[in-house]
């Protein structure tokens, strides 16, 4: 019997295919391995990431959905809640009791109720509203707080880069 | 290509060195002496040896693993790095033992370790891979057997040499191989479990339990080994600093496995004894999908005190991680741990406590009690786990209701976090929660009554505990009332046209809105678990025909391929595509580009 993780991932993939949320695209990156996904996220309108198309990869643990997947942007990102290597740091991706920043309440943490779709929607809203309390990228958090203009300039550059438009 | 060049150069150099020596000395022994005397020659020989070992390693890896996945390679490099640094630390303790033999033994150990890591990754991968070939089984089984026998032989060798020659660096090697033996054991058990699981036609409910116990036992073995090793090293040499990092992780894992087992056993026992099986009607009433596995619930489902229903097997594996309701995070362990003593206390009524701490309930009719008599208790007061333990309170006397009160309001988790009722029903009239009897006014107590609360006698302690429990009841009631007010305020504001956040989340179902009820809705900036609105990207909607709306399993992979080819390349260059599955319509990239370009021009 194939593992329950695999069956749930297939179910989620079907769900995403039949009823895709706008501005989000996600699916397994190879046919052999349903535990590594790629995703494209469109920067939400009305924010400094508007219109950018940001690729990311999701890797699921063998005991998914009991443990959360990991998510990492594969393009250059500059955001308070994204590490410089692209790893995303939001509460929905952390299991309770595993709190790298020590600021998250357990009600926002990972539980099997969450899903790929909810993660990606959370990431979209994270792009819209950074949480500068989390120190995944301290420079970005500082700039977001103190020098919004400069932050928007960098974000704009990233958007252009993601679209292949020369700056 | 470059590797081949390096190998060629190295072989050529070695030939030159050996040829040169033989040319000078003409005989075997003198040539060997000649080479060992010359440092440059020796360097070349060492490099050659290293390259040969690397080649053998690559060759063996190809035989047993084929091509490595990217993740496997990453893991390998990461672990190799730690292993090398830790061994460099170990060098500092054994400076005197440093010799070519040491280097050879160390390299061998490193290679064996790398094969263990790879084997572990491979076996873990069995859970994720849909197809396991015979080749896979042959490879893994033979590799595990080989690794086990090598470990055993090397451990034996280290043990004998330590016994014969006294403690040396062989201590470290012996310890390392002993550890590797436990690793092989662990991989072996996992491999067997996965194989059995794959052969089965139905899900194997007990597998996570076996996995957890395996982890515990292996963890125990490792911790014992580490402690023994450190003890020996401290007695003979010095503190083995290089062993501390892995020892710390081993101990942490062991502690976690132990904790998980204890907690999950408790939670599963609660589940089996206290929580009812979901009836077919309940299954039909809900939308019938288990939120953990996203599969239909037909049978063998349990209803938690918060009314959330899941597969029994899914809950069992979830309780190994956390002992909460997956949907609303109601703590599964807390209700029984608090309700059990209170039940006992109820049975013993009246306790042998003096009257001071236990005034007769009838004599102090509080306003809360009056309200309760007038209005039937609100729905949330009687969590299901309690409802089936006692009879409903309405038909009973006031004294019993007091007991009922105390038992329900002693469960703050049931009231504060178990909000399922709030989510569905916005009652027009929200009855006040009952207020339990407040603690007696201490100034009214007689000297005797006060004295009876002093001392360590059982009666005195019980009296004090009872007073404290009353205080707790008051607090709980206050909390419950507060959350009632909040709900009332919220359900009142939902009719206003401007607050559309709750309405827009209706499609998220009760699961998320139940979490929302716990939270101050306005002040939560760190909350990304619920996107407040998605209309930011709403205009991406394009009305193209979805050809493959519900792909079944066979077309799934097909559409997956399309998806990958068309839109999921990591450098999103727009390609003309025919597929319209997915949340970003084809051509949308080009649209976004154009729009940005237009905006740029208008800015200029
Ligand atoms: Zn289930
Ligand atoms: Zn629940």
């Amino acid at each position: 019997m194939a593992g329950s993780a695999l069956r749930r991932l297939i179910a989620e993939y079907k769900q995403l295919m039949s009823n895709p949320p706008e501005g989000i695209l996600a699916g397994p990156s190879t046919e052999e391995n349903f535990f590594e996904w790629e995703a494209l996220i469109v920067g939400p309108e009305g924010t400094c990431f508007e219109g950018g198309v940001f690729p990311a990869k999701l890797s699921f643990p063998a005991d998914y959905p009991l443990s959360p997947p990991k998510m990492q942007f594969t393009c250059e990102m500059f955001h308070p809640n994204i590490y410089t290597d692209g790893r995303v740091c939001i509460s929905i991706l952390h299991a309770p009791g595993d709190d790298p920043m020590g600021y998250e309440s357990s009600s926002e943490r990972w539980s099997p109720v969450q899903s790929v779709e909810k993660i990606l929607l959370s990431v979209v809203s994270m792009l819209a509203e950074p949480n500068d309390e989390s120190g995944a990228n301290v420079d970005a958090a500082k700039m977001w707080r103190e020098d919004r203009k400069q932050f928007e300039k960098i974000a704009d550059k990233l958007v252009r880069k993601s679209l292949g438009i020369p700056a | 290509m470059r590797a081949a060049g390096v190998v060629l150069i190295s072989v050529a150099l070695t030939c030159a060195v050996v040829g040169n020596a033989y040319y000078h000395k003409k005989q075997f022994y003198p040539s060997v002496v000649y080479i060992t005397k010359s440092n440059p020659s020796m360097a070349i020989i060492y490099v050659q040896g290293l390259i040969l070992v690397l080649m053998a390693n690559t060759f063996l890896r190809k035989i047993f693993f084929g091509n490595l996945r990217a993740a496997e390679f990453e893991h390998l490099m990461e672990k190799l790095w730690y292993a090398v640094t830790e061994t460099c630390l170990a060098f500092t303790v054994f400076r005197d033992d440093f010799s070519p033999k040491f280097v050879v033994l160390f390299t061998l150990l490193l290679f064996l370790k790398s094969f263990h890591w790879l084997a572990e990754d491979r076996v873990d991968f069995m859970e994720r891979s849909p197809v396991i070939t015979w080749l896979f089984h042959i490879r893994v089984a033979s590799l595990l057997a080989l690794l086990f026998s090598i470990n055993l032989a090397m451990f034996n060798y280290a043990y004998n040499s330590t016994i014969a020659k006294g403690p040396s660096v062989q201590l470290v090697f012996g310890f390392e191989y002993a550890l590797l033996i436990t690793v092989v054991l662990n991989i072996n058990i996992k491999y067997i479990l996965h194989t059995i699981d794959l052969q089965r036609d139905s899900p194997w409910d007990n597998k996570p339990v076996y996995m957890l116990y395996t982890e515990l036992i292996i963890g125990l073995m490792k911790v014992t080994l580490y402690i023994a090793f450190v003890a020996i090293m401290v007695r003979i040499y010095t503190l083995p600093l290089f062993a501390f990092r892995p020892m710390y992780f081993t101990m942490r894992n062991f502690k976690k496995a132990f904790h998980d087992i204890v907690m999950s056993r408790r939670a599963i026992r609660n589940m089996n004894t206290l929580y009812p099986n979901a009836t077919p009607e309940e299954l039909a009433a809900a939308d019938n999908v288990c939120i953990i596995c996203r599969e239909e619930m037909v049978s063998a489902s349990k209803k938690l005190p918060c009314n959330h229903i899941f597969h029994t097997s899914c809950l069992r594996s979830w309780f190994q991680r956390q002992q909460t309701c997956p949907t609303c995070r109601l703590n599964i362990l807390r209700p029984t741990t608090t309700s059990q003593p209170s039940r006992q206390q109820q049975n013993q009524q009246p306790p042998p406590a003096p009257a001071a701490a236990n005034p007769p309930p009838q004599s102090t009719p509080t306003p809360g009690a009056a309200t309760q008599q007038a209005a039937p208790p609100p729905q949330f007061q009687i969590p299901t786990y309690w409802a089936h333990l006692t009879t409903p309170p309405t038909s009973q006397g006031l004294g019993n209701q007091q007991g009922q009160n105390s038992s329900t309001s002693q469960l703050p988790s049931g009231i504060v976090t178990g909000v399922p009722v709030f989510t569905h029903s916005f009652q027009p009239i929200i009855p006040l929660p009952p207020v339990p009897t407040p603690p007696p006014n201490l100034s009214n107590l007689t000297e005797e009554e006060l004295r009876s609360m002093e001392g360590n006698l059982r009666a005195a302690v019980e009296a004090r505990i009872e007073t404290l429990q009353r205080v707790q009841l008051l607090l709980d009631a206050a909390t419950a009332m507060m959350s009632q007010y909040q709900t009332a305020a919220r359900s009142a504001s939902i009719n206003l046209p401007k607050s559309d956040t709750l309405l827009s989340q209706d499609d998220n179902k009760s699961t998320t809105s139940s979490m929302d009820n716990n939270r101050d809705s306005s002040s939560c900036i760190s909350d990304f678990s619920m996107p407040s609105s998605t209309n930011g990207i709403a205009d991406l909607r394009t009305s193209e025909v979805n050809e493959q709306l519900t792909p079944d399993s066979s077309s799934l992979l097909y559409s997956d391929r399309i998806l990958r080819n068309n839109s999921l390349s990591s450098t999103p260059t727009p390609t003309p595509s025919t597929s319209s599955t997915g949340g970003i319509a084809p051509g949308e990239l080009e649209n976004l580009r154009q729009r940005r370009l237009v905006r740029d021009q208008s800015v200029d």
Side-chain angles (χ1 to χ4, degrees):
Chain A
M1 190 80 187
S4 53
L6 185 62
R7 276 179 288 142
R8 164 145 172 176
L9 280 172
I10 291 176
E12 278 199 49
Y13 181 50
K14 276 187 189 171
Q15 166 71 22
L16 273 174
M17 298 279 289
S18 62
N19 194 6
E22 285 136 301
I24 287 171
L25 189 61
S29 35
T30 66
E31 289 155 33
E32 299 85 46
N33 189 356
F34 253 78
F35 288 71
E36 303 284 335
W37 285 31
E38 284 174 35
L40 284 181
I41 293 175
V42 177
E45 205 154 284
T47 71
C48 49
F49 292 102
E50 174 177 341
V53 178
F54 305 106
K57 65 176 184 195
L58 287 144
S59 52
F60 297 88
D63 59 354
Y64 183 80
L66 304 181
S67 303
K70 291 191 176 69
M71 181 170 174
Q72 183 171 25
F73 278 98
T74 50
C75 62
E76 190 190 335
M77 284 304 262
F78 186 75
H79 188 283
N81 309 112
I82 302 176
Y83 288 98
T84 42
D85 63 357
R87 275 178 301 135
V88 179
C89 178
I90 53 175
S91 51
I92 192 175
L93 289 175
H94 298 143
D98 149 41
D99 186 352
M101 297 303 161
Y103 69 98
E104 298 154 345
S105 79
S106 72
S107 64
E108 300 151 5
R109 300 304 190 73
W110 175 259
S111 104
V113 168
Q114 314 291 6
S115 62
V116 178
E117 180 176 344
K118 284 189 191 161
I119 290 173
L120 293 177
L121 287 175
S122 298
V123 169
V124 169
S125 79
M126 173 201 78
L127 288 178
E129 300 172 55
N131 168 23
D132 56 7
E133 286 167 50
S134 138
N137 185 340
V138 183
D139 294 337
K142 197 159 168 259
M143 194 178 288
W144 169 261
R145 258 196 315 267
E146 293 165 7
D147 191 357
R148 194 63 63 87
K149 277 254 140 34
Q150 180 68 18
F151 186 91
E152 281 163 3
K153 227 158 125 190
I154 294 179
D156 190 65
K157 217 169 72 192
L158 294 175
V159 169
R160 287 157 179 285
K161 210 169 170 183
S162 76
L163 293 171
I165 304 173
Chain B
M1 207 57 236
R2 233 177 51 205
V6 171
V7 170
L8 270 182
I9 293 172
S10 162
V11 170
L13 279 174
T14 313
C15 290
V17 165
V18 173
N20 177 44
Y22 202 73
Y23 176 76
H24 279 288
K25 299 292 173 187
K26 305 285 186 225
Q27 270 172 338
F28 180 71
Y29 260 105
S31 318
V32 170
V33 173
Y34 178 79
I35 290 176
T36 47
K37 285 275 163 59
S38 142
N39 274 340
S41 309
M42 272 322 277
I44 285 171
I45 298 291
Y46 275 134
V47 170
Q48 177 66 49
L50 191 67
I51 284 175
L52 279 179
V53 171
L54 277 176
M55 280 171 68
N57 183 46
T58 318
F59 179 68
L60 286 173
R61 208 168 59 201
K62 271 265 183 293
I63 287 181
F64 285 114
F65 297 106
N67 287 323
L68 295 188
R69 287 176 299 122
E72 284 175 333
F73 193 74
E74 256 169 51
H75 281 179
L76 184 65
M77 284 303 137
E78 194 183 325
K79 287 178 172 167
L80 205 63
W81 172 247
Y82 278 118
V84 170
T85 42
E86 270 149 22
T87 320
C88 286
L89 271 172
F91 274 132
T92 56
V93 182
F94 296 101
R95 279 180 302 270
D96 307 335
D97 289 329
F98 190 82
S99 66
K101 189 182 161 203
F102 182 105
V103 177
V104 169
L105 281 175
F106 167 63
T107 326
L108 180 66
L109 176 66
L110 214 55
F111 283 151
L112 283 172
K113 272 188 177 175
S114 76
F115 276 88
H116 283 83
W117 302 327
L118 286 174
E120 189 155 24
D121 266 1
R122 268 296 147 91
V123 170
D124 285 344
F125 188 65
M126 286 175 77
E127 267 186 306
R128 315 181 182 190
S129 175
V131 251
I132 300 293
T133 58
W134 274 108
L135 179 66
F136 180 94
H137 283 293
I138 294 168
R139 273 175 166 169
V140 169
S142 56
L143 177 70
L144 287 178
L146 190 68
L147 287 180
F148 185 76
S149 40
I150 294 179
N151 287 340
L152 213 57
M154 293 306 289
F155 176 75
N156 234 341
Y157 171 74
Y159 178 78
N160 288 334
S161 99
T162 308
I163 293 294
K165 298 178 200 155
S168 69
V169 75
Q170 285 298 336
L171 261 182
V172 182
F173 283 115
F175 164 69
E176 291 280 6
Y177 283 111
L179 270 185
L180 284 184
I181 289 174
T182 66
V183 173
V184 172
L185 273 180
N186 194 8
I187 303 174
N188 231 321
I189 295 172
K190 276 201 251 179
Y191 171 67
I192 293 168
L193 288 177
H194 291 333
T195 312
I196 296 174
D197 191 20
L198 285 171
Q199 305 294 328
R200 289 170 67 101
D201 294 328
S202 57
W204 188 14
D205 294 345
N206 276 334
K207 186 179 163 198
V209 182
Y210 290 131
M211 298 276 282
L212 203 53
Y213 275 98
T214 311
E215 207 172 309
L216 184 78
I217 293 164
I218 298 287
L220 181 66
M221 287 164 75
K222 280 189 180 171
V223 168
T224 322
L225 275 174
Y226 269 112
I227 291 175
F229 176 67
V230 170
I232 294 172
M233 285 296 286
V234 167
R235 281 192 61 176
I236 299 174
Y237 296 96
T238 163
L239 263 187
L241 287 176
F242 57 91
F244 277 16
R245 192 193 69 95
M247 182 162 117
Y248 168 74
F249 284 115
T250 310
M251 286 185 160
R252 206 179 58 172
N253 289 345
F254 174 67
K255 198 182 139 222
K256 190 168 169 301
F258 187 72
H259 180 261
D260 283 354
I261 283 186
V262 170
M263 298 309 256
S264 68
R265 278 187 68 102
R266 211 182 285 167
I268 290 167
R269 199 183 53 220
N270 278 3
M271 180 178 79
N272 290 338
T273 55
L274 294 179
Y275 307 143
N277 284 320
T279 59
E281 296 85 60
E282 281 168 334
L283 287 179
D287 70 352
N288 205 8
V289 171
C290 167
I291 203 74
I292 300 181
C293 61
R294 302 282 151 102
E295 278 167 34
E296 293 237 324
M297 290 184 284
V298 194
S299 60
S301 308
K302 281 275 181 188
K303 188 160 101 178
L304 294 183
C306 50
N307 286 328
H308 292 128
I309 305 177
F310 309 92
H311 284 129
T312 313
S313 57
C314 291
L315 271 180
R316 204 177 296 149
S317 28
W318 170 243
F319 284 155
Q320 293 184 1
R321 307 305 151 95
Q322 286 174 45
Q323 295 75 41
T324 57
C325 168
T327 304
C328 64
R329 294 175 203 275
L330 170 78
N331 190 333
I332 301 303
L333 296 178
R334 232 187 319 167
T336 39
T337 47
T338 52
S339 75
Q340 235 123 20
S342 76
R343 212 182 337 164
Q344 281 166 6
Q345 181 196 342
Q346 219 180 6
N347 295 340
Q348 289 166 3
Q349 290 275 1
N358 191 16
Q362 286 89 349
S363 67
T364 54
T366 58
T371 347
Q372 201 205 4
Q373 266 177 320
Q379 203 183 348
F380 79 97
Q381 270 187 35
I382 312 155
T384 43
Y385 52 83
W386 189 262
H388 77 279
L389 290 175
T390 58
T391 47
T394 40
S395 62
Q396 307 207 350
L398 190 62
N400 254 351
Q401 273 192 355
Q402 210 85 32
Q404 187 82 23
N405 266 352
S406 69
S407 51
T408 45
S409 39
Q410 261 186 356
L411 312 168
S413 62
I415 291 164
V416 182
T417 58
V419 247
V421 180
F422 298 164
T423 62
H424 309 304
S425 59
F426 296 102
Q427 302 159 344
I429 306 160
I430 294 175
L432 284 176
V435 177
T437 323
N441 189 346
L442 292 180
S443 62
N444 290 346
L445 298 179
T446 62
E447 284 292 309
E448 269 172 70
E449 283 168 340
L450 276 177
R451 204 167 299 127
S452 69
M453 291 175 80
E454 293 171 1
N456 297 325
L457 289 175
R458 184 188 165 83
V461 173
E462 275 176 1
R464 280 192 301 229
I465 290 175
E466 198 154 332
T467 311
L468 286 176
Q469 273 173 347
R470 277 161 198 283
V471 174
Q472 195 196 353
L473 286 191
L474 275 181
L475 287 175
D476 289 347
T479 325
M481 219 186 293
M482 199 59 217
S483 65
Q484 276 274 40
Y485 285 140
Q486 276 181 347
T487 321
R490 197 166 305 212
S491 59
S493 72
I494 202 161
N495 297 325
L496 298 175
K498 61 175 181 180
S499 67
D500 57 343
T501 45
L502 268 177
L503 289 172
S504 73
Q505 281 154 9
D506 268 357
D507 54 345
N508 281 348
K509 300 241 170 67
S510 60
T511 54
T512 44
S513 52
S514 72
M515 291 198 305
D516 185 50
N517 267 316
N518 284 334
R519 221 186 280 141
D520 189 351
S521 58
S522 59
S523 70
C524 207
I525 47 164
S526 68
D527 165 27
F528 298 127
S529 56
M530 257 197 327
S532 52
S533 89
T534 51
N535 60 8
I537 43 176
D539 78 335
L540 269 175
R541 179 184 295 129
T542 49
S543 56
E544 264 166 278
V545 187
N546 253 349
E547 293 150 312
Q548 308 160 330
L549 259 180
T550 47
D552 57 5
S553 299
S554 58
S555 74
L556 195 72
L557 291 178
Y558 167 67
S559 40
D560 169 45
R561 203 177 300 132
I562 292 177
L563 194 81
R564 206 154 34 94
N565 292 345
N566 285 329
S567 4
L568 275 182
S569 57
S570 51
T571 51
T573 46
T575 49
S577 78
T578 51
S579 151
S580 62
T581 46
I584 301 174
E588 195 55 44
L589 280 173
E590 190 53 41
N591 280 351
L592 287 165
R593 257 168 74 101
Q594 293 303 333
R595 217 182 299 165
R596 175 53 64 116
L597 286 172
V598 167
R599 213 174 78 180
D600 286 352
Q601 279 167 1
S602 65
V603 168
D604 294 341

